[in-house]
Structures are given as C-alpha cells and as structure tokens.
C-alpha cells in the first residue's frame, strides 16, 4: 500500500508539473494535453508519438493499471489534473456514473458500428481485445499437455499451480474475465468456478499483460490474457500456443473518455486526439502494430489477426457489468482471493 501511494504521488507530481508549465504555440494557444492510460507503455508511447507527428500536439501521460486509474480519478474528483482517460468502456461507464466523465461525441463517430457507439457519449470505443489461453509450448510438450480449449479444462489436475491471471481488483483485463464469466455462467456459478480455479493459479498479477509474459518465460504453464498480449509476447521471441475456450471468450472494448473539469486550456487538444485515434489512419497504425482489433469500419487488418466477427465471444451485459463492478470485485475478493498478494 505504501508503494502504491508513492506511485500515485509521483504520478500526481508529473502531471501537476505539466499542468503548471503547459505548452503553447507561437500564438499562445495550448499545444498539449495530459492523460491517464491503461494500455502498455510501448503502446501508449506509439499512439502519442504518431499523433504528435500528425498534429504537432504534445501529450504527457502517466501509465497505470485500470484499477489505479479509476482510483486516481476518484481521488482527484474535486481537482482533475488530466484531460483524457483510456481504459475499458465498462470502467469508464462506472466512472461516468460517479460524475467523473464529460460527455463527448466525436465528429467522425459514424465511422464506428452503431453497437460501438455510446448514446450517452461517456465513452468512445478505441479497440477490441479477446481473452485467450496462452500456453508455454515447451511446458506443453514436455508434460504431454492437451491444450486447454474449455474453461473446465483449466480445472484438470495437470493445470494445478500452472495458471496465471490478473486480479479483477487491479486489472481491466481481469474484470472483463470476471464479468464475462458472470454473463456466461450466471453470477453464483461464475464465482464458484473461480473459487475452484483458484487452486490452479500459480500467481495473480496486477496488470493484464503479465500472465502472457509469465507463460512466455515458463513461470506459468498457461496465461489468461488478451490475444494481442499473447501475440506481442510471441513476436518478442517466446513460444506460446494460443487457444480459445469453446464456450466463448470474454472480450473488452477499450475506450477513451474525457475527464470532467480537466484542464480547460487543453480540452480541445484531447478531443482532437480522440477523433484522430478512432479515424482510419490512427486505427490501422495502432491495430496492426499491436494486434488489437480496430473499431473503425474502414480500417484494414494487415497483420493476419482474426476479425472480431469470426471469433466465438461471450455477449456481455455491459450495463450490468458497469453498474455492478465494485460489488462483483468485492465478491471475488471475499470468496476467491484478496488482491493483497498480487504480483507487482
């Protein structure tokens, strides 16, 4: 907890310095904005570097897990320090319910399918990620493991102590897993399943990308993670085998949102970023570089990724997931595992 307070203190200092100094063009107009981001550091840097190349607008960001971002927004409600937030749309919707988000409808919103448009303008969809099983190829071969292709497969004896997943209390990925299984199985059955699965877990992690890295390094046999994180780990030189549960995979729509009452001088720059990020060029640059599925109807997949429409996914009740986020996480903490001992 002390370490977490130090991280937040550093984040506040960094963003406060940006807000105090600001950046202006030759006409005195703001030429920057600031953001809290839950994507991985390299993804965030790539996004903002490309945006700056196109527009000249500088972006200052702090990278935190989704749970940390939400907590930071709550703590800064009376004096928001940044303009933009990126995390799952469920979490942004939960933040909107607490009065932390400003409604915004981008001028190019019609380039997104109707089902990826929030009628309230609280969140703007940016990418789609699908949960998969990422298995260490060496571990599979040496132990004659049949690759998991069902949620029940993870309960088999050979998987005991060999599975890694992030904790729903600290990770947007893991909350999508929790809310997805609730939609698939029903709330009580999903929590009962996770309690059984807990015996197979070698480590809960704070961030959602960590299980893919653990599986890649052989620290876990199987990592539950986004397929994009698994593919990125493979592209980094590790041998992972990707499978999907036959019953259906939870998926997450990652979104962007404007923080209510953020620094007013920079607000238009944040809006300009949102429109760039969901545009065809921004979508293709990001999606094909980091293997995340695009939301723009006109964006082309050139990296061999499987289109979202061809994957078997769980239809999640987004409204329920948003409104019951805190309650479901607390049930997980009470009935399955506390977040006190997650791998940092």
């Amino acid at each position: 907890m002390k370490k977490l307070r130090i991280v937040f203190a550093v984040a506040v200092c960094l963003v406060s310095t940006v807000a105090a100094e600001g950046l202006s063009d030759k006409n005195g107009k703001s030429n920057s904005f600031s953001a809290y981001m839950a994507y991985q550091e390299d993804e965030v840097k790539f996004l903002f570097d490309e945006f700056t190349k196109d527009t000249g607008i500088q972006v200052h960001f702090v990278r935190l897990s989704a749970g940390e971002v939400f907590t930071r927004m709550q703590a800064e409600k009376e004096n928001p320090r940044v303009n933009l937030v990126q995390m799952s749309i469920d979490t942004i919707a939960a933040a909107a319910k607490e009065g932390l988000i400003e409604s915004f409808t981008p001028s190019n919103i019609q380039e997104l399918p109707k089902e990826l448009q929030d009628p309230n303008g609280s969140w703007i969809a940016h990418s789609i990620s699908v949960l998969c099983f990422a298995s260490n190829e060496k571990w599979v071969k040496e132990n004659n493991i049949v690759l998991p292709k069902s949620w029940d497969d993870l309960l088999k004896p050979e998987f005991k102590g060999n599975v890694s997943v992030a904790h729903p209390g600290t990770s947007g990925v893991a909350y999508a897993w929790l809310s997805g299984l609730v939609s698939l199985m029903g709330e009580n059955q999903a929590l009962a399943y996770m309690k059984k699965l807990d015996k197979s877990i070698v480590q809960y992690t704070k961030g959602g990308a960590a299980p893919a890295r653990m599986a890649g390094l052989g620290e876990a046999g199987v990592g539950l993670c986004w397929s994009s994180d698994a593919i990125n780990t493979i592209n980094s030189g590790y041998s992972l085998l990707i499978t999907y549960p036959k019953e259906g995979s939870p998926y997450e729509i990652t979104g962007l949102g404007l923080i209510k009452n953020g620094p007013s001088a920079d607000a238009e720059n944040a809006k300009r970023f949102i429109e760039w990020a969901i545009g065809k060029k921004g979508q293709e640059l990001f999606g094909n570089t980091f293997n995340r599925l695009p939301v723009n109807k006109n964006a082309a997949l050139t990296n061999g990724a499987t289109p979202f429409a061809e994957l078997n996914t769980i239809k999640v009740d987004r409204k329920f997931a948003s409104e019951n986020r805190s309650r479901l996480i607390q049930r997980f903490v009470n009935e399955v595992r506390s977040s006190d001992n997650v791998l940092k």
Side-chain angles (χ1 to χ4, degrees):
M1 196 64 195
K2 184 177 180 181
K3 187 183 291 185
L4 190 57
R5 289 195 189 99
I6 292 171
V7 171
F8 281 158
V10 172
V12 170
C13 288
L14 288 172
V15 178
S16 296
T17 301
V18 171
E21 294 177 354
L23 285 174
S24 303
D25 62 18
K26 61 183 179 181
N27 298 314
K29 184 180 178 182
S30 170
N31 197 34
S32 68
F33 72 92
S34 49
Y36 287 145
M37 305 291 286
Y39 280 139
Q40 295 304 302
E41 189 93 14
D42 56 341
E43 295 177 312
V44 179
K45 190 174 185 306
F46 176 87
L47 257 182
F48 290 147
D49 283 352
E50 292 298 325
F51 173 67
T52 300
K53 282 181 193 176
D54 276 2
T55 65
I57 295 171
Q58 301 291 322
V59 188
H60 305 274
F61 70 90
V62 176
R63 194 274 160 189
L64 300 166
S65 71
E68 291 171 328
V69 171
F70 197 5
T71 300
R72 176 51 42 195
M73 291 173 65
Q74 291 171 317
E76 295 176 354
K77 182 176 183 179
E78 301 306 318
N79 184 29
R81 301 173 187 273
V82 306
N83 306 93
L84 182 89
V85 63
Q86 172 269 311
M87 48 189 177
S88 73
I89 62 168
D90 297 335
T91 313
I92 296 177
K97 189 178 179 183
E98 295 191 16
L100 304 173
I101 297 292
E102 175 185 331
S103 294
F104 172 60
T105 301
S107 61
N108 55 346
I109 193 67
Q110 296 308 318
E111 295 178 28
L112 275 59
K114 198 72 175 175
E115 60 270 24
L116 296 183
Q117 298 178 31
D118 177 19
N120 299 316
S122 299
W123 50 263
I124 299 92
H126 182 247
S127 70
I128 301 173
S129 299
V130 181
L131 201 76
C132 73
F133 303 144
S135 302
N136 180 282
E137 186 173 12
K138 182 180 179 182
W139 174 76
V140 167
K141 290 180 177 178
E142 288 182 350
N143 295 279
N144 295 315
I145 302 293
V146 176
L147 288 173
K149 295 181 181 178
S150 165
W151 290 109
D152 283 340
D153 285 345
L154 298 181
L155 302 178
K156 293 178 179 178
E158 57 265 37
F159 291 94
K160 186 175 182 179
N162 285 304
V163 179
S164 177
V165 66
H167 193 285
T170 61
S171 164
V173 178
Y175 182 65
W177 169 58
L178 171 56
S179 59
L181 291 193
V182 167
S183 293
L184 177 68
M185 304 175 180
E187 185 173 329
N188 291 333
Q189 293 92 323
L191 269 296
Y193 168 81
M194 290 176 164
K195 190 171 183 178
K196 291 178 184 176
L197 182 64
D198 185 66
K199 296 181 177 66
S200 297
I201 303 298
V202 63
Q203 183 68 63
Y204 290 94
T205 65
K206 184 173 77 170
R213 292 194 296 269
M214 287 186 69
L217 291 166
E219 296 171 349
V222 182
L224 272 62
C225 58
W226 295 141
S227 59
S228 54
D229 290 325
I231 295 170
N232 291 337
T233 302
I234 292 169
N235 290 342
S236 296
Y238 298 94
S239 297
L240 292 176
L241 302 171
I242 297 173
T243 53
Y244 295 91
K246 64 183 181 182
E247 302 92 339
S249 295
Y251 69 96
E252 175 186 82
I253 302 171
T254 296
L256 304 167
L258 288 178
I259 295 180
K260 193 171 185 179
N261 299 322
S264 58
D266 300 335
E268 290 304 314
N269 294 330
K271 292 177 181 178
R272 188 171 175 186
F273 170 75
I274 289 174
E275 293 182 337
W276 178 90
I278 68 170
K280 183 177 185 293
K281 180 180 179 180
Q283 286 276 289
E284 290 178 344
L285 280 170
F286 184 63
N288 290 313
T289 301
F290 292 99
N291 303 296
R292 291 186 182 270
L293 299 175
V295 295
N296 188 302
K297 293 183 289 188
N298 303 316
L301 278 170
T302 60
N303 60 352
T306 304
F308 178 70
E310 296 178 17
L311 294 168
N312 180 27
T313 54
I314 299 168
K315 186 175 181 180
V316 177
D317 185 338
R318 299 287 169 193
K319 186 172 184 293
F320 178 87
S322 173
E323 293 177 350
N324 291 274
R325 181 179 183 276
S326 296
R327 184 182 65 78
L328 288 175
I329 289 173
Q330 193 57 51
R331 277 200 69 179
F332 186 93
V333 167
N334 293 341
E335 300 174 34
V336 183
R337 184 81 71 95
S338 167
S339 60
D340 292 341
N341 65 341
V342 298
L343 179 69
K344 305 299 183 188

